[in-house]
């Protein structure tokens, strides 16, 4: 028996899934969005914890690239709603299974849910001792990373966000090509690993990485240790979080998701009458 699933079948399969996502109830989307934000945040917290004592940037990237993909694995296996992956609902719109209004509504609800889930995990880690490793060195690393992310140029955020979500959407679709748990996780693993290794920007992951730094900055001992380490705390503010990172990265993520959705739909699913 041939168990291979073709690209056309994958895109058609997601078209149906995307329709259900776009038309789901507000409460369901919001709760599943909170779950997804928390899952990605927990994966992000794990990567920070794994690498905070390492100096070599290459080794940091490698370890994060190997660990972070399992955050998306939890999202996929447990059916949570992730804003970046849901940019694939563009396929359902192109297939005329839902409207642009349906899609945008679901994006907004899930985005807010992702943010809530991320903030809850970030507060828990910063304010309840998770960052106490090595006398607060984990907190210092978290603050440093957050400050760096707040100060990337706007154009860089858009482009790095674009590449990131091309890979995230590919990961979601590759996971759909498998019918067993291991196959779904393996399908998603490499594209996510690639985006982390390459330093691309993911808005939901940054909801944790930057907010965790902001919450850690509110703890006097952590703020003092970060200042002693030479970190400029003024580089880490809510306005820079929102407008210096989330805005450009979200724009890039949307563009990347929409473009890869259109390309795959156009090449594999478009009907002749759409020519």
């Amino acid at each position: 028996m041939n168990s291979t699933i073709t690209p056309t079948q994958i895109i058609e399969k997601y078209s149906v899934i995307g329709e259900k996502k776009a038309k789901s109830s507000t409460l369901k989307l919001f709760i599943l969005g909170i779950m997804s934000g928390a899952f990605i945040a927990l994966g992000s917290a794990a990567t920070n914890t794994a690498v905070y004592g390492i100096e070599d940037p290459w080794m940091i990237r490698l370890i994060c690239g190997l660990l972070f993909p399992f955050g998306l694995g939890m999202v996929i296996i447990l059916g949570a709603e992730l804003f970046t992956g849901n940019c694939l609902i563009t396929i359902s719109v192109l297939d005329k299974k839902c409207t642009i209004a349906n899609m945008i509504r679901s994006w907004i609800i899930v985005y807010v849910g992702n943010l809530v889930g991320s903030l809850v995990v970030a507060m828990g880690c910063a304010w309840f001792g998770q960052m106490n490793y090595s006398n607060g060195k984990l907190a210092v690393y978290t603050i440093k990373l957050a400050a760096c992310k707040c100060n990337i140029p706007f154009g860089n955020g858009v482009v790095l966000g674009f590449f990131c979500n091309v890979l995230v959407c590919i990961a979601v679709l590759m996971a759909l090509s498998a019918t067993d748990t291991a196959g779904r996780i393996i399908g998603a693993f490499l594209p996510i690993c690639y985006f982390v290794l390459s330093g691309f920007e993911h808005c939901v992951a940054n909801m944790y990485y930057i907010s965790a730094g902001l919450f850690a900055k509110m703890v006097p001992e952590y703020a003092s240790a970060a200042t002693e380490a030479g970190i400029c705390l003024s580089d880490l503010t809510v306005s820079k979080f929102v407008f210096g990172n989330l805005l450009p990265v979200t724009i890039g993520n949307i563009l990347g998701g929409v473009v890869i959705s259109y390309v795959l739909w156009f090449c594999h699913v478009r009907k002749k009458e759409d020519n």
Side-chain angles (χ1 to χ4, degrees):
M1 179 182 294
N2 185 3
S3 60
T4 301
I5 181 170
T6 67
T8 297
Q9 290 172 317
I10 294 172
I11 305 306
E12 289 176 340
K13 185 176 180 180
Y14 189 88
S15 180
V16 175
I17 293 171
E19 178 187 9
K20 293 179 181 177
K21 288 176 178 286
K23 296 179 180 178
S24 290
S25 71
T26 298
L27 181 61
K28 179 179 178 180
L29 286 172
F30 185 62
I31 293 173
L32 292 176
I34 292 174
M35 286 176 54
S36 188
F39 292 159
I40 296 298
L42 290 168
S44 302
T47 60
N48 276 359
T49 305
V51 303
Y52 76 91
I54 300 173
E55 297 294 334
D56 183 2
W58 177 85
M59 185 59 67
I60 290 174
R61 289 284 187 203
L62 179 61
I63 293 173
C64 289
L66 293 174
L67 291 177
F68 185 85
F70 292 102
L72 182 66
M74 291 189 289
V75 171
I76 290 172
I77 298 303
L78 295 177
E81 296 288 347
L82 182 65
F83 169 76
T84 46
N86 283 8
C87 288
L88 283 167
I89 296 174
T90 304
I91 293 170
S92 305
V93 173
L94 292 167
D95 236 10
K96 300 177 182 178
K97 286 186 169 62
C98 67
T99 65
I100 293 176
N102 293 146
M103 178 176 69
I104 293 176
R105 166 189 164 272
S106 69
W107 283 358
I108 293 171
I109 297 167
V110 169
Y111 191 92
V112 174
N114 289 169
L115 180 60
V116 171
S118 299
L119 293 177
V120 168
V121 174
M123 283 189 287
C125 290
W127 292 351
F128 294 90
Q130 191 272 335
M131 297 182 187
N132 285 341
Y133 277 88
S134 304
N135 296 316
K137 287 184 179 178
L138 173 55
V140 172
Y141 175 83
T142 302
I143 293 171
K144 179 181 178 181
L145 177 62
C148 289
K149 284 183 172 291
C150 280
N151 288 281
I152 62 174
F154 194 96
N156 289 21
V158 173
V159 174
L160 296 179
F162 178 93
F163 290 140
C164 170
N165 212 28
V166 168
L167 288 169
V168 170
C169 290
I170 289 173
V172 171
L173 293 174
M174 288 180 65
L176 279 181
S177 70
T179 56
D180 63 297
T181 299
R184 295 176 73 189
I185 292 175
I186 292 170
F189 182 86
L190 277 179
I192 303 301
C193 179
Y194 288 171
F195 105 63
V196 177
L197 283 172
S198 300
F200 299 147
E201 294 286 327
H202 187 270
C203 65
V204 180
N206 288 351
M207 289 175 185
Y208 172 82
Y209 284 127
I210 301 177
S211 66
L214 284 166
F215 290 132
K217 177 184 171 182
M218 296 178 187
V219 180
E221 305 86 60
Y222 295 161
S224 176
T227 300
E228 290 177 8
I231 300 169
C232 181
L233 296 183
S234 63
D235 287 340
L236 180 56
T237 65
V238 173
S239 62
K240 287 188 176 182
F241 171 32
V242 174
F243 299 107
N245 187 280
L246 273 192
L247 178 59
V249 172
T250 300
I251 291 171
N253 287 165
I254 291 173
L255 292 174
V258 169
V259 168
I260 192 63
S261 296
Y262 179 79
V263 169
L264 291 172
W265 174 85
F266 182 88
C267 293
H268 297 301
V269 178
R270 184 186 60 143
K271 307 296 188 297
K272 289 183 179 180
E273 56 267 26
D274 293 324
N275 289 341

